[in-house]
Amino acid sequence: MKAVVTVMLKNGVLDPQGKAIGQALSGLGFDGVGEVRAGKVIEVELAETDPAKAQAAAEEMARKLLANTVIESFKVEIAA
Amino acid sequence: MKAGIVVFPGINRERDMAIALERSAGHAPRMVWHRESDLSGLDLVVIPGGFSYGDYLRCGAMAAQSPIMGAIRAHAARGGHVLGVCNGFQILIEAGLLPGALLRNQGLRFLAMDCHLKVERADTDFTRHYQQGEVFRAPMAHGDGNYFAAPETLDRLEGEGRVIFRYATPTGEITPEANRNGSQRNIAGIASENLRVLGLMPHPEDLVDPLMGGEDGKPLFDSICAALAA
């Protein structure tokens, strides 16, 4: 199965990249663009076949390496 | 003093660091490849600047998982001295040897320019050859040097006297204008609880000879060499 780990800066942590993207969107003429936040998506192929175990393993990976929990939050989704 | 410089793939400031250490110590440091695991006999371990592992994932994140990091942790745990500059600071933070995080510079630009640092503590092994409150010039070159930590962590660092350098004006004022990367509380360099692990973003090793345009960074290396002189 595949774990899809989405890593985002925590609320309250300045995201200058998101801000710049938002300004560029407004510059392109898109109206009504509010706050933009930029993050990253990491896909991990896993040999595990039990979704609960895959979820736990991916969360452990996120805590240890994929996300820096001082500044980032993460979300794990397991796809078949 | 026996110093070792840890070299990760993508590091590019190791020779500058070697020049600075040799100039103060009188002999060349040992270069340690990241796959090595033995730091025995070293008094000071230095992680220099650069772009270890291409800054993949986050600056310093890959290097923090490298084989040599176990030995660096052990060295720090037995009270050994560690200096991390620029990417080396990022690596120490990712490895959990120093608290906080280094975010993308406010304004998103890579900053390659001189800055001025105010010495907040001149009573550490790394800073004794500066005066308390002295301001010195240091080149900086980084894209991710915006120091961030939770408010309680910042308060603890300040309370424990672990903020060693702050970005300042040439006359020593702590202003937002002097804080180009947007670091919280103008923090440029912090130390561990025992003050033996020091990380900072700017490059004192690049101003240690009149030929480089100044010797503003030399007192840092003179300090640590004097402190660890055997």
Side-chain angles (χ1 to χ4, degrees):
Chain A
M1 31 194 35
K2 188 159 77 179
V4 181
V5 184
T6 305
V7 180
M8 299 295 292
L9 285 170
K10 284 180 179 168
N11 287 330
V13 176
L14 182 71
D15 179 9
Q17 195 172 214
K19 207 179 254 180
I21 294 167
Q23 282 165 2
L25 288 173
S26 300
L28 282 169
F30 290 101
D31 292 332
V33 173
E35 193 190 15
V36 178
R37 309 276 294 169
K40 51 193 149 206
V41 174
I42 300 156
E43 295 184 348
V44 185
E45 292 279 358
L46 297 170
E48 183 59 60
T49 52
D50 177 344
K53 284 183 184 162
Q55 174 86 22
E59 285 178 6
E60 181 74 0
M61 290 175 198
R63 270 190 297 273
K64 283 199 168 152
L65 179 65
L66 305 179
N68 177 347
T69 54
V70 175
I71 48 169
E72 293 168 329
S73 59
F74 63 86
K75 186 178 75 187
V76 173
E77 283 164 297
I78 301 295
Chain B
M1 177 190 70
K2 290 202 182 80
I5 299 178
V6 182
V7 183
F8 294 98
I11 285 286
N12 61 8
R13 298 288 190 126
E14 73 277 13
R15 280 162 292 184
D16 308 39
M17 190 59 80
I19 289 167
L21 286 166
E22 181 162 2
R23 211 171 146 71
S24 288
H27 55 266
R30 184 178 131 200
M31 303 306 258
V32 183
W33 185 234
H34 70 117
R35 287 193 191 283
E36 293 181 37
S37 55
D38 182 17
L39 295 170
S40 55
L42 292 180
D43 304 308
L44 171 69
V45 174
V46 182
I47 311 180
F51 301 87
S52 58
Y53 301 89
D55 281 347
Y56 289 170
L57 193 61
R58 295 177 303 275
C59 300
M62 295 290 136
Q65 309 301 326
S66 168
I68 192 71
M69 276 319 294
I72 296 174
R73 277 199 187 87
H75 174 81
R78 53 174 185 264
H81 289 73
V82 181
L83 171 65
V85 171
C86 198
N87 194 208
F89 185 20
Q90 295 165 337
I91 292 167
L92 289 176
I93 282 189
E94 279 286 343
L97 286 169
L98 291 172
L102 288 156
L103 299 172
R104 183 67 58 89
N105 293 343
Q106 177 188 45
L108 288 174
R109 285 178 196 277
F110 188 97
L111 297 169
M113 57 182 61
D114 282 353
C115 64
H116 288 85
L117 298 180
K118 184 171 187 182
V119 180
E120 295 286 354
R121 284 198 67 169
D123 60 345
T124 77
D125 288 346
F126 291 98
T127 53
R128 248 172 232 123
H129 286 233
Y130 289 108
Q131 300 294 316
Q132 181 73 30
E134 184 178 343
V135 178
F136 69 99
R137 188 163 61 95
M140 64 172 170
H142 60 249
D144 298 74
N146 180 353
Y147 185 75
F148 175 90
E152 54 273 23
T153 305
L154 293 169
D155 290 342
R156 202 183 75 229
L157 284 172
E158 306 247 23
E160 294 173 355
R162 290 165 58 188
V163 176
I164 311 299
F165 301 117
R166 268 187 237 269
Y167 299 106
T169 64
T171 52
E173 286 152 278
I174 308 297
T175 67
E177 294 72 36
N179 189 28
R180 297 296 297 269
N181 59 25
S183 290
Q184 286 184 321
R185 305 189 192 181
N186 284 49
I187 290 173
I190 56 170
S192 58
E193 271 175 60
N194 68 2
L195 303 175
R196 290 183 169 193
V197 179
L198 172 69
L200 74 161
M201 285 311 296
H203 293 277
E205 76 276 17
D206 285 339
L207 269 187
V208 295
D209 187 317
L211 282 175
M212 294 172 169
E215 292 187 294
D216 288 54
K218 194 164 180 293
L220 189 147
F221 298 96
D222 289 343
S223 299
I224 191 65
C225 286
L228 297 177

